[in-house]
Amino acid sequence: MEEGNIYLLYAGLLSYPDDGIRRRAMEIQSLLRNKSEKSSTYMEKFIELLECHTREKLEEIYTSTFDLHPICYPYAGYHLFGDDYRRSQFMTRLKEEYRKKGFFPPDDELPDHIGIILKYMGTVKDDETILNECLLPVIEKMTSLFNPLFNNPYFYLMTSLLLFLREKMGIERKEISFTDGGCNHE
């Protein structure tokens, strides 16, 4: 179940950085190398930028990217519906779908967290509805919120994920461009 592993590894990379982040990134890089050249290129850049920072700096970057006054919230419902009642309905439907497929996310995280959705995708055979109507449009929106000139490693991670999802769905779109900056220790 190689594709399921890819989803699970992406989910792990979108969690708060821990000591295993580099190992998971290298593992997914080796899986992507044979599946998706474009996605693999962006994962390679993510790994390169991981090597430029200490774990503490990665934690700081993660927090500013996804948690405190974030560049982009890691919640699908927020990107799809904002903060109105439809987000609550969406989360309820997600929970129901998860239960139907035997997936039980942790109680301490909202069901629309991108990492939870990726874990779900990694444990089910296929769920094209979630992929088409939720995951792909949300990752497209999240990726568009980054400014690649700031050399945020999570831009490259999200772009790698986006390209992987597009290839999985057979969607060819204009290549996402980025500047090839090196380490930036600001």
Side-chain angles (χ1 to χ4, degrees):
M1 190 164 144
E2 187 174 290
E3 205 160 88
N5 287 341
I6 292 174
Y7 284 118
L8 294 172
L9 288 166
Y10 273 118
L13 293 175
L14 284 166
S15 298
Y16 194 75
D18 61 17
D19 291 333
I21 189 169
R22 286 175 179 86
R23 177 192 49 77
R24 284 189 302 276
M26 304 229 4
E27 189 176 342
I28 196 170
Q29 170 66 14
S30 70
L31 292 172
L32 288 172
R33 206 172 280 129
N34 298 327
K35 275 193 155 316
S36 171
E37 185 179 329
K38 292 175 186 176
S39 183
S40 177
T41 300
Y42 283 90
M43 183 55 67
E44 192 174 302
K45 182 68 176 174
F46 176 68
I47 293 168
E48 178 185 316
L49 290 174
L50 287 179
E51 299 300 324
C52 294
H53 302 293
T54 64
R55 179 174 164 192
E56 290 76 21
K57 181 63 177 174
L58 287 173
E59 291 171 352
E60 182 183 313
I61 293 168
Y62 180 90
T63 300
S64 68
T65 301
F66 299 114
D67 285 341
L68 301 174
H69 306 291
I71 293 168
C72 62
Y73 290 99
Y75 299 98
Y78 178 81
H79 291 285
L80 294 171
F81 306 109
D83 273 333
D84 70 17
Y85 72 94
R86 294 177 298 166
R87 180 176 179 212
S88 296
Q89 291 174 333
F90 172 72
M91 287 193 290
T92 300
R93 285 194 325 264
L94 267 180
K95 283 182 182 181
E96 289 169 3
E97 190 62 30
Y98 291 164
R99 273 192 293 271
K100 278 196 260 180
K101 301 268 178 96
F103 176 75
F104 300 97
D107 291 332
D108 64 342
E109 188 57 78
L110 295 173
D112 68 334
H113 189 282
I114 295 301
I116 298 298
I117 295 171
L118 288 167
K119 285 179 183 177
Y120 165 76
M121 293 297 293
T123 60
V124 300
K125 176 135 175 66
D126 233 342
D127 191 328
E128 289 197 19
T129 302
I130 295 288
L131 187 58
N132 280 321
E133 296 177 18
C134 172
L135 198 53
L136 185 59
V138 167
I139 299 302
E140 285 177 336
K141 185 169 183 183
M142 289 175 73
T143 303
S144 75
L145 297 172
F146 283 91
N147 181 344
L149 297 178
F150 290 134
N151 227 17
N152 182 325
Y154 289 99
F155 166 76
Y156 299 97
L157 174 63
M158 296 302 294
T159 303
S160 173
L161 175 57
L162 175 60
L163 293 170
F164 169 74
L165 294 174
R166 283 180 179 171
E167 284 190 20
K168 175 162 178 34
M169 296 305 299
I171 299 171
E172 282 296 320
R173 299 225 175 123
K174 183 179 150 201
E175 175 68 27
I176 300 166
S177 63
F178 66 95
T179 55
D180 189 17
C183 292
N184 187 354
H185 295 286
E186 293 178 16

